[in-house]
Amino acid sequence: MRRVGQPSVIGEILGGLVLGPSLLGWLAPAVAGFVFPTGSMSALQSLSQVGVLLFMFTVGLELEPARLRGHAESAVAVSHFSIVVPFTMGVALSLWLYGTYATPTVPFHGFALFCGIAMSITAFPVLARILEDRQLTQTPLGTTALTCAAVDDVTAWSLLALVVAITTSGGAVTTLGTIVLATAAFVWLMYAGVRPWLRRVLPRDQRVDALTKGQVATLLGVLLASACATEVIGIHGLFGAFVAGAIVPAQPSLTRAIRDRIESVSAVFL
């Protein structure tokens, strides 16, 4: 894909399609079963999730909030408009899909809302990989795009929880309010509590080798705890990993040291 001018992540997606049930599993099911035994898929998925969390953490490290000053309102507006269009198209698509895929126990309004939300959630890691491959993550355009994607994901996952509440218990307003308040409290706690603590714990030395194993373990602990917290709230763990990276004190040498420690494993192996 790089040779034809496309981001490498596109090649990785195509590789997954080739090795998955769409091609290899269709042409040679015995070979596909040998390469990817059914019992191994849950473990493989867990490893891949760890890799994505680490990657989103490094993306958050590159985020420069100063670039967003004066552009926050436009980022939110763009993000929400990018939800409205695919949501409308997803609801329209449900008119055609409902008779084929819905069971008699699923009401149409729940099916339609789910289709709309499913089409609205951003492929946050894929966008981040494309921006990184194009070396746009530290530009105003890249920062705005990542912020829009983060807002998009929080909004869309909140709406998904709302849809689940509507179709099951009916406590829609209470569920949405709880998620919004919990997410706001989480972000405030990370910036007002965890960020100052990291300033005291992490080194200010300009040397790359100033980062100790204990400090790396601290960062990984914050990362996993943040991802877990957002999962409990009802937002995908990717958002928690992204915020965990964004609250790390902005020091170029520290950012390079952290990336050198975890990027090879996360971006290549996992």
Side-chain angles (χ1 to χ4, degrees):
M1 286 295 100
R2 284 179 175 175
R3 289 181 179 273
V4 296
Q6 295 297 314
S8 59
V9 68
I10 304 300
E12 295 171 10
I13 293 173
L14 291 176
L17 291 172
V18 169
L19 293 174
S22 300
L23 187 61
L24 183 62
W26 174 52
L27 296 176
V31 176
F34 175 76
V35 177
F36 300 109
T38 303
S40 70
M41 295 309 294
S42 60
L44 185 62
Q45 184 177 10
S46 298
L47 278 175
S48 69
Q49 288 298 311
V50 173
V52 174
L53 291 178
L54 287 170
F55 173 71
M56 292 308 301
F57 176 74
T58 61
V59 171
L61 283 174
E62 300 290 343
L63 183 69
E64 295 186 17
R67 295 182 182 274
L68 288 174
R69 290 173 183 169
H71 302 284
E73 293 182 0
S74 60
V76 172
V78 169
S79 175
H80 287 167
F81 185 77
S82 71
I83 292 177
V84 170
V85 175
F87 178 84
T88 304
M89 296 176 69
V91 170
L93 185 64
S94 68
L95 296 170
W96 177 51
L97 297 178
Y98 181 72
T100 304
Y101 291 99
T103 62
T105 58
V106 177
F108 174 74
H109 69 275
F111 184 85
L113 290 171
F114 181 82
C115 287
I117 296 300
M119 296 298 175
S120 303
I121 296 177
T122 308
F124 198 175
V126 177
L127 172 65
R129 283 293 307 278
I130 292 174
L131 292 173
E132 185 179 54
D133 287 345
R134 299 301 190 194
Q135 297 181 346
L136 293 172
T137 53
Q138 293 185 322
T139 64
L141 175 63
T143 302
T144 303
L146 287 172
T147 304
C148 287
V151 174
D152 189 326
D153 264 24
V154 171
T155 304
W157 284 105
S158 299
L159 291 175
L160 181 60
L162 177 66
V163 170
V164 173
I166 290 174
T167 56
T168 55
S169 63
V173 175
T174 302
T175 300
L176 182 61
T178 301
I179 290 176
V180 171
L181 289 175
T183 302
F186 165 76
V187 173
W188 177 84
L189 178 63
M190 293 293 286
Y191 274 92
V194 180
R195 184 182 175 91
W197 174 68
L198 287 178
R199 289 186 185 275
R200 297 192 299 269
V201 172
L202 297 178
R204 296 186 179 182
D205 197 327
Q206 297 299 311
R207 296 176 302 163
V208 171
D209 60 353
L211 204 61
T212 66
K213 291 181 179 180
Q215 290 161 344
V216 173
T218 298
L219 288 170
L220 294 178
V222 171
L223 158 64
L224 296 176
S226 301
C228 181
T230 51
E231 285 282 355
V232 171
I233 290 171
I235 307 297
H236 200 286
L238 296 177
F239 178 73
F242 179 74
V243 172
I247 66 164
V248 174
Q251 302 177 43
S253 60
L254 178 61
T255 300
R256 286 195 303 271
I258 297 172
R259 290 181 68 99
D260 289 345
R261 291 294 183 93
I262 67 175
E263 191 173 35
S264 297
V265 175
S266 65
V268 180
F269 177 65
L270 295 176

